Amino acid sequence: MLIGKHAKATSGICTADQESITIRGRDLCADLMGRLTFTEYFYLLVTGREPTTDQRDFLDLLLIAIAEHGLTPTAVAARMTYDADPRSLQAAVAAGILGCGTVVLGTSELCGEVLHRAKVRVDAGESVEAVTSDIARTTRQAGSKMPGFGHPLHRPVDPRAQRILTMAEERDVSGLHVALARAFEPAVAEAWGKPLPMNVSMPTAAVMLDLDFPVAMIKAIPLLGRTGGLLAHLAEEQQNQIGFLMASHAEEAISYEPAEGQSPT
């Protein structure tokens, strides 16, 4: 029994025979290997197109920007998992990636959705300022967080975010999505009654959308970049095991307190 919707029984990514491997219509060994960088190859795999110079350079920039940020929850989860089973490197990487959600690392996906909706309204005739102000205000009134704004460490600015936007403007690749990201800064400050730092997720989405990257695959950028960072943590964990040490510190930091009604009478 066939369940759910389905398309044609085809795939356009890869095929292989005894003598060759074909990726997106190109011969892997005779063409791609030795010609493309991994960043270019990733772009080709995801979109089916080879990137322009700007698309390659900014994808590379963003992968570098997001790859590493210290002992984040993703890195902690990966290191502890590795110590629990040192023979399962893949499980440790997976543990870290599974923690990439809408609070940690995965917010670029939400930023992409917000920017896409905002662009639709601007394309329909509304002004950038009116759209961003309305979205920020309604988000605040709903008691929700504004994707791409706020950071526990980087205040008043996230240096990565400003670097990305500045480079996009210097290279003349910024378009409507970057303009919307910039306009959200004062709109969010007004809605929240104080300035909130734009974090790296907003310009990640804005720049890549201006460079014609698929909105549904924006989250792939932090996932790929952070995988490199996790592998670095696991390489270090092999030489300097701190996963169990972090676990012991967590036990020391959190005290046991019975919930009401659970204490013995």
Side-chain angles (χ1 to χ4, degrees):
M1 180 176 66
L2 184 64
I3 299 175
K5 296 180 179 180
H6 60 95
K8 294 191 301 181
T10 62
S11 172
I13 298 176
C14 177
T15 188
D17 57 32
Q18 186 175 356
E19 297 179 349
S20 66
I21 303 166
T22 302
I23 309 289
R24 293 290 194 184
R26 298 153 176 83
D27 189 289
L28 174 66
C29 299
D31 180 11
L32 301 179
M33 292 173 64
R35 182 172 68 84
L36 296 188
T37 66
F38 180 74
T39 300
E40 292 169 324
Y41 186 47
F42 170 68
Y43 194 99
L44 171 65
L45 286 171
V46 171
T47 68
R49 309 183 306 272
E50 291 188 32
T52 65
T53 299
D54 286 332
Q55 289 168 334
R56 177 200 64 204
D57 289 352
F58 278 90
L59 177 55
D60 211 26
L61 171 73
L62 297 172
L63 291 170
I64 291 171
I66 202 66
E68 181 52 42
H69 205 269
L71 290 171
T72 60
T74 56
V76 171
R79 294 182 86 132
M80 288 185 178
T81 302
Y82 180 81
D83 285 353
D85 187 0
R87 294 185 300 175
S88 189
L89 183 67
Q90 71 277 13
V93 173
I97 291 298
L98 287 172
C100 300
T102 55
V103 175
V104 177
L105 197 63
T107 50
S108 58
E109 177 182 36
L110 300 180
C111 292
E113 293 171 358
V114 167
L115 291 169
H116 179 70
R117 293 198 305 270
K119 181 180 182 297
V120 170
R121 292 175 59 176
V122 172
D123 287 343
E126 296 184 67
S127 71
V128 168
E129 292 74 17
V131 170
T132 52
S133 178
D134 179 61
I135 292 174
R137 183 176 60 256
T138 55
T139 300
R140 176 62 168 164
Q141 290 172 347
S144 302
K145 294 182 178 180
M146 186 68 204
F149 286 86
H151 198 281
L153 176 62
H154 298 306
R155 303 173 183 172
V157 298
D158 183 335
R160 301 166 300 174
Q162 298 307 315
R163 175 65 171 162
I164 293 166
L165 292 176
T166 297
M167 290 190 66
E169 290 160 354
E170 289 176 349
R171 288 275 296 266
D172 198 27
V173 302
S174 60
L176 179 53
H177 294 99
V178 167
L180 286 163
R182 288 287 198 192
F184 268 120
E185 287 189 287
V188 168
E190 180 179 359
W192 265 257
K194 61 180 179 180
L196 296 179
M198 181 194 296
N199 62 51
V200 70
S201 296
M202 181 59 80
T204 294
V207 171
M208 290 312 293
L209 288 176
D210 277 341
L211 287 170
D212 200 30
F213 198 76
V215 63
M217 287 302 293
I218 291 294
K219 192 175 183 179
I221 298 170
L223 289 178
L224 179 61
R226 189 53 59 93
T227 297
L230 292 175
L231 289 168
H233 278 276
L234 296 174
E236 184 179 72
E237 192 69 23
Q238 293 173 347
Q239 305 300 321
N240 182 36
Q241 293 186 343
I242 62 172
F244 288 151
L245 178 62
M246 290 188 290
S248 69
H249 285 314
E251 290 184 344
E252 294 171 1
I254 307 300
S255 60
Y256 171 69
E257 184 176 310
E260 185 177 351
Q262 291 183 349
S263 299
T265 57

